[in-house]
Amino acid sequence: MNSCIHIYCGDGKGKTTAAIGLAVRAAGSGKKVLVTRFLKTDHSGEVNSLKALPEIEVTPCERSFGFFTNMTEEQKKEARAYYSRLLETTLKRAAEEGFDLLVLDEIMAVCNYGLVEESRVLDFLKNRREGLEVVLTGRNPSERLLEEADYVSEIRKVKHPYDKGIKARKGIEY
């Protein structure tokens, strides 16, 4: 297969930033890119920049359910339904609409929380259309995802301003 699977993982800042950098590089080479973000609304700074590039399409993430650990069982059920639909719509589009690069931002988190079926993601990766490059981001990828990947880049936190009580800053962390 002439396409690869990339994983950007770890506890450090920069997983999404790396994925977005690859998306911009691909777009700059005339490639068609689909970015789908899980657990993040469109209020992050990179979304406006990405939407300005005609080669990149950002799937809107219109619902926020808050932190998983704070969700009620009913909210978890709603989140599972929402993110499963978002994933299915994304995978269908990636398979049928001629995208060259697919970015699944924070897919590891929704898999790890059981909000989407990891087996569905793995099945898609194994049977994806020829030429479709895929990027997965998030913490703690499973061994099965790691085995399927061609690139695995771990971003390790050595030091972070959050440790000193500095909250996330618009335009830097989001």
Side-chain angles (χ1 to χ4, degrees):
M1 182 171 274
N2 194 21
S3 60
C4 295
I5 298 168
H6 307 242
I7 289 180
Y8 298 118
C9 60
D11 65 354
K13 177 195 178 315
K15 297 174 289 293
T16 296
T17 305
I20 297 309
L22 183 57
V24 169
R25 176 180 283 166
S29 296
K31 295 190 180 297
K32 187 176 173 185
V33 180
L34 178 60
V35 176
T36 298
R37 299 153 41 87
F38 296 89
L39 303 175
K40 296 176 177 177
T41 62
D42 288 353
H43 298 298
S44 192
E46 69 271 13
V47 173
N48 289 336
S49 296
L50 292 175
K51 286 180 177 179
L53 298 172
E55 300 83 3
I56 298 179
E57 185 172 337
V58 180
T59 306
C61 184
E62 298 165 337
R63 298 220 30 214
S64 176
F65 298 90
F67 289 107
F68 182 79
T69 54
N70 296 336
M71 287 183 203
T72 65
E73 285 307 311
E74 183 60 31
Q75 288 171 318
K76 289 177 184 176
K77 182 178 176 186
E78 287 178 42
R80 271 186 212 95
Y82 178 78
Y83 291 121
S84 292
R85 279 192 309 274
L86 182 61
L87 178 65
E88 287 306 319
T89 299
T90 296
L91 298 184
K92 184 175 194 289
R93 294 195 62 215
E96 297 175 357
E97 295 183 28
F99 288 97
D100 301 297
L101 175 66
L102 171 63
V103 176
L104 298 174
D105 189 32
E106 291 297 347
I107 191 68
M108 259 67 94
V110 291
C111 286
N112 291 338
Y113 291 142
L115 298 175
V116 300
E117 295 293 327
E118 182 179 278
S119 60
R120 177 64 181 107
V121 175
L122 283 161
D123 180 60
F124 175 80
L125 294 174
K126 290 176 182 175
N127 298 297
R128 73 189 185 282
R129 176 179 48 72
E130 179 72 31
L132 178 63
E133 199 92 1
V134 181
V135 177
L136 312 171
T137 73
R139 295 176 183 224
N140 305 315
S142 71
E143 284 301 316
R144 295 185 318 165
L145 286 170
L146 290 171
E147 288 171 14
E148 198 61 34
D150 300 290
Y151 294 93
V152 177
S153 297
E154 183 174 9
I155 300 171
R156 184 175 62 90
K157 181 184 89 162
V158 174
K159 190 176 184 181
H160 195 290
Y162 184 79
D163 299 334
K164 294 189 277 186
I166 298 172
K167 295 188 190 263
R169 299 162 297 149
K170 186 163 182 63
I172 304 300
E173 283 84 23
Y174 69 96

